[in-house]
Amino acid sequence: MRKLFAVLFSLFASAANAQSYTTLQWGLDKTATPYNFGANIGGAWSNLGTVSSAGVWKVPSSNLSFTQTGTGAVARTVDAKLKQIVNIEDFGADPTGVNLSDTAFSNAIANGREIVLQCGGVYKISAAINWNASFAKLTGCSWQNTVIQQTTLSADIIDVTGSGNIIDGVEFYYASAASAGYGIKSIATNNIYKNFEVINAYDGVLVSTGGGQFFHDFQILSSVHTGFFLSAVNDVFISDFIINCGNLTNCSLGAVRLADQTEAIVMSRGDVLLGKYSLTMDATSYSQSSRPAYNRFTDVYFDSAAQGSVINNAIETEFVGGWFSGGRTATGYAGLTIQQANSLTFTGTEFFNSGCNGVLLANTNAHNISFVGSSFQSNSVTSGSGTCHGLAVAAGVSDWSVTDGSAGNGLYTGGQQGYGVFVNSGASNNYTISGIKCS
């Protein structure tokens, strides 16, 4: 490029008006201001760019050609190549966080399919980003490195209504605890969210309606109301994550919450820490079309919530591996309380070191609850030695089983539970207890 301009300059320095030439010549057209420079080709002027009287040269990228290296590569304009990816700063975003970047996000979304945020950039906004594009991508460097900060504590950070998008490598941040709104609100289909972080949101992530959503490699920290909230949605795949509520009062409705007709949720390899509740599953109705169903959790660790976890109005859900441990406040809560539910299976799951019972089957409408190869250890931490148990079954609860597991007080320090399995007196029937190793 430098050689080209050197040649052009040497020619232009002595050139007369190029329009007077009859053969191919480089030159200046001085009839316009700034001057046009280019070539006279067979008597027709072909303009390449402009040069000002101060010597500022400008060549439109649409006039330059680009060809990728490699067999089969075809020529494109530099203009087309550069517009393939949009840097948010092309539209005036401020990566220093001094000025708001709301307008820049709106304009970039309207004009780009891949929007890049600067490494180390902090982009402040005052209203929710409306990501209504489809088959587009928002890319930062990584969480904690590229930040979008919401300055209005009652507003969402990003609302994704388009489908087929990828959001990668961004931190969504409130400077202090939000009073309303969502860090990420996803109400579309077939979107992928990865390598992201949400901090201090009222609700960290909401997934509602649609389906085919993927979330992986992320953190949600210090959410006020819920960490990850799934409401009336299906086919959501969540993996490799940490949700840390930050204290025992945040996540007041659950660090992870499944509500209403939420189905085919697959959650795996995650750690859920602190908060009022670790996991809540509930619905306004137990009717077939209204309750969480057909969900699966694999190696998810629900740990240290003030009042443990609660499952109500849910059916056909499976837990594989992982653990429930919490409820170590006041006089003690169960690590997991199961109320009205049907066909829940726990395979190789640990229930340990909870404030009262490891698990409480609390409602006579809990049916077909199965524990296979699960462990009930060292519970009754805050309720007192012998007061609570590994698995406690309320009077009249029927249709449940515990097989091939273990119970005792020897594996963990802390609690001294009374019995591995304790069935309260009442009309319970049709239950199985077998193969439990006690220590």
Side-chain angles (χ1 to χ4, degrees), residues 186-378:
S186 184
I187 50 176
T189 60
N190 301 318
N191 290 312
I192 297 173
Y193 304 83
K194 59 182 180 177
N195 187 27
F196 69 89
E197 184 174 59
V198 181
I199 300 178
N200 292 333
Y202 189 73
D203 293 283
V205 174
L206 170 69
V207 188
S208 180
T209 71
Q213 312 263 24
F214 300 84
F215 297 80
H216 62 87
D217 300 293
F218 65 89
Q219 291 191 137
I220 301 174
L221 306 178
S222 301
S223 294
V224 177
H225 192 231
T226 62
F228 206 112
F229 188 7
L230 299 125
S231 177
V233 67
N234 55 53
D235 302 312
V236 181
F237 303 87
I238 307 157
S239 65
D240 303 294
F241 62 90
I242 294 173
I243 301 174
N244 188 333
C245 299
N247 59 44
L248 295 176
T249 57
N250 278 339
C251 300
S252 59
L253 203 60
V256 176
R257 179 167 176 78
L258 281 65
D260 300 319
Q261 191 178 7
T262 294
E263 300 180 351
I265 307 304
V266 179
M267 182 173 276
S268 59
R269 299 186 303 276
D271 200 2
V272 181
L273 299 164
L274 301 175
K276 184 176 181 179
Y277 297 103
S278 288
L279 169 68
T280 59
M281 298 175 67
D282 204 353
T284 54
S285 169
Y286 191 58
S287 65
Q288 187 171 358
S289 61
S290 300
R291 59 197 175 186
Y294 318 116
N295 302 302
R296 183 183 178 97
F297 297 80
T298 302
D299 295 329
V300 180
Y301 299 87
F302 298 100
D303 201 348
S304 301
Q307 297 185 30
S309 298
V310 179
I311 298 176
N312 184 43
N313 291 332
I315 66 167
E316 295 287 351
T317 295
E318 183 176 8
F319 295 83
V320 178
W323 68 48
F324 289 85
S325 179
R328 295 183 292 273
T329 60
T331 57
Y333 298 86
L336 172 63
T337 299
I338 300 174
Q339 297 175 348
Q340 182 164 261
N342 199 324
S343 299
L344 307 183
T345 301
F346 301 85
T347 303
T349 306
E350 296 181 73
F351 304 89
F352 74 97
N353 208 34
S354 291
C356 189
N357 301 296
V359 186
L360 173 62
L361 301 186
N363 193 306
T364 56
N365 289 317
H367 298 289
N368 301 309
I369 313 299
S370 300
F371 302 89
V372 181
S374 294
S375 177
F376 308 88
Q377 298 283 339
S378 303

Side-chain angles (χ1 to χ4, degrees), residues 6 52 113 141 174 197 208 307 399 418:
S52 71
R113 281 294 172 262
C141 285
Y174 297 84
E197 184 174 59
S208 180
Q307 297 185 30
D399 304 305

